[in-house]
Amino acid sequence: MKGYILKRLFSLIPVLSVVAVVVFLIIHITPGDPAAVMLGPDASPDQVAELREELGLNLPLYQQFTSWIAGILKGDFGWSFFMEEPVLQAFFSHLGPTISLAILAQLLAILFAIPLGVIAAKKRGSAVDQSFMGIALLGISVPSFLLGLFLILLFAVQLKWLPVAGYKPFSEGLFLHLRYLILPAIALGAMQAALIARMTRSSMLDILSANYIKTARSKGVKEKMIVFKHALRNAFLPILTVIGQTFGTLIAGAAVVETVFNIPGIGQLIVNSVERRDFAVIQGTIMLVAISYVLINLVIDLLYGVVDPRVRLNRK
């Protein structure tokens, strides 16, 4: 198992290398001079040139890239001249709200989607199945920002049950923390719930038609036992894959929802950094999100062996 983990870790190096090159080139090709933005419209060309030299923006791109990569290898993701702090510190100061939002959104998606998918598979072809899959299709089709606006209009403006926007940390109380996160979590997790529900239904349909399920039914095994102990467990590998991928997507794609609900998370940090051309924060944050994403996929891959012992045996 140790050898397998090391092999997977080494396989992440090419992926992260490609991400680093693409992110660096896109950011530096994008119009806008960080030095000019920092100094404002009244700055003279000499002042802009002096600041560019101080920031190292006058160096050739390959030198800027190699310097950035060398810093990352030493744990230095750069310095934000706008926030006057290291990129790593800025990232972790905004990470808490995003992690809380992503975890709550994923929990809601799993709690809603897996039972929905199981019931749809059990009632295949019925009105229940079609209704549930119609809801799932709606969840995939409606953008998270639009769903967020509808939720604000209904539950915050009309009913006044929940706050319109904002964020309260966990330190101020669990109830208050969840009260501010529940609407953005629903908006963010709706698409994930739809994907998990569709995969659950598809995987369960394959398992429920297997011969050993028919044998269990012929022996009089209770239907609940068949569905939840035998079928769902054997159908869980593809479901686990979707859960892992969607969780990485939640962290990486929370920018729009965090902007709508004014949550000071990673997404809002990236959006604000793009507006002021803070290259160091954009590069470093996207790179850290990419690292988090591939590590989450690695953990999910390792969990396969826990869910299905046959996978663990194949790795030996």
Side-chain angles (χ1 to χ4, degrees):
M1 181 60 74
K2 290 182 180 179
Y4 176 79
I5 294 174
L6 288 174
K7 183 179 177 182
R8 284 303 310 272
L9 288 174
F10 280 118
S11 70
L12 300 180
I13 295 176
V15 176
L16 294 176
S17 299
V18 172
V19 171
V21 172
V22 171
V23 168
F24 182 85
L25 290 178
I26 289 177
I27 289 174
H28 283 77
I29 291 173
T30 304
D33 188 347
V37 174
M38 290 175 66
L39 294 175
D42 297 329
S44 66
D46 291 339
Q47 290 174 321
V48 174
E50 182 180 352
L51 184 57
R52 282 181 59 83
E53 183 176 357
E54 181 183 344
L55 298 176
L57 298 176
N58 60 329
L59 297 174
L61 282 181
Y62 74 90
Q63 289 188 17
Q64 295 184 47
F65 179 74
T66 53
S67 176
W68 178 53
I69 293 298
I72 288 177
L73 294 176
K74 294 184 292 186
D76 179 12
F77 285 79
W79 176 271
S80 172
F81 285 87
F82 284 92
M83 294 184 287
E84 297 183 345
E85 63 179 350
V87 171
L88 203 58
Q89 182 176 331
F91 178 83
F92 283 112
S93 66
H94 289 77
L95 183 61
T98 298
I99 291 294
S100 295
L101 176 60
I103 290 175
L104 182 58
Q106 189 73 312
L107 285 175
L108 292 176
I110 292 171
L111 291 174
F112 176 76
I114 291 181
L116 187 147
V118 170
I119 295 171
K122 189 71 178 62
K123 303 287 186 180
R124 181 181 184 180
S126 66
V128 173
D129 179 22
Q130 294 176 2
S131 300
F132 282 0
M133 289 303 99
I135 294 172
L137 181 62
L138 187 64
I140 295 175
S141 304
V142 178
S144 57
F145 76 90
L146 184 60
L147 179 58
L149 293 175
F150 284 146
L151 292 173
I152 290 173
L153 180 63
L154 177 60
F155 293 102
V157 177
Q158 298 292 336
L159 299 176
K160 302 185 186 302
W161 289 353
L162 296 166
V164 174
Y167 173 78
K168 294 295 181 182
F170 185 78
S171 58
E172 295 190 20
L174 177 61
F175 176 76
L176 190 62
H177 181 65
L178 294 177
R179 191 167 183 267
Y180 275 84
L181 282 181
I182 188 67
L183 290 185
I186 294 173
L188 185 61
M191 183 178 294
Q192 323 307 322
L195 293 172
I196 295 170
R198 289 168 67 90
M199 179 54 71
T200 302
R201 177 184 181 274
S202 176
S203 185
M204 284 290 294
L205 286 175
D206 290 339
I207 299 299
L208 289 173
S209 61
N211 289 331
Y212 71 90
I213 296 294
K214 296 176 182 177
T215 302
R217 283 182 175 141
S218 66
K219 290 183 176 181
V221 179
K222 293 182 179 180
E223 191 66 20
K224 288 184 179 180
M225 182 75 71
I226 292 174
V227 171
F228 292 102
K229 183 177 180 180
H230 300 289
L232 183 58
R233 182 175 180 179
N234 287 288
F236 203 70
L237 277 183
I239 300 171
L240 183 62
T241 301
V242 174
I243 289 173
Q245 291 176 346
T246 55
F247 187 70
T249 305
L250 287 174
I251 296 177
V256 175
V257 172
E258 289 180 355
T259 301
V260 170
F261 288 91
N262 194 29
I263 297 174
I266 298 298
Q268 195 175 89
L269 174 65
I270 295 175
V271 171
N272 293 338
S273 299
V274 169
E275 291 176 351
R276 57 194 178 213
R277 301 296 188 271
D278 196 342
F279 285 180
V281 175
I282 301 171
Q283 292 174 171
T285 302
I286 293 177
M287 197 64 196
L288 287 165
V289 169
I291 293 171
S292 303
Y293 186 83
V294 295
L295 289 178
I296 288 170
N297 284 331
L298 175 60
V299 171
I300 294 298
D301 194 20
L302 296 176
L303 286 176
Y304 287 165
V306 178
V307 176
D308 191 343
R310 293 172 298 179
V311 177
R312 188 165 61 249
L313 291 173
N314 291 334
R315 291 170 179 171
K316 292 182 179 180

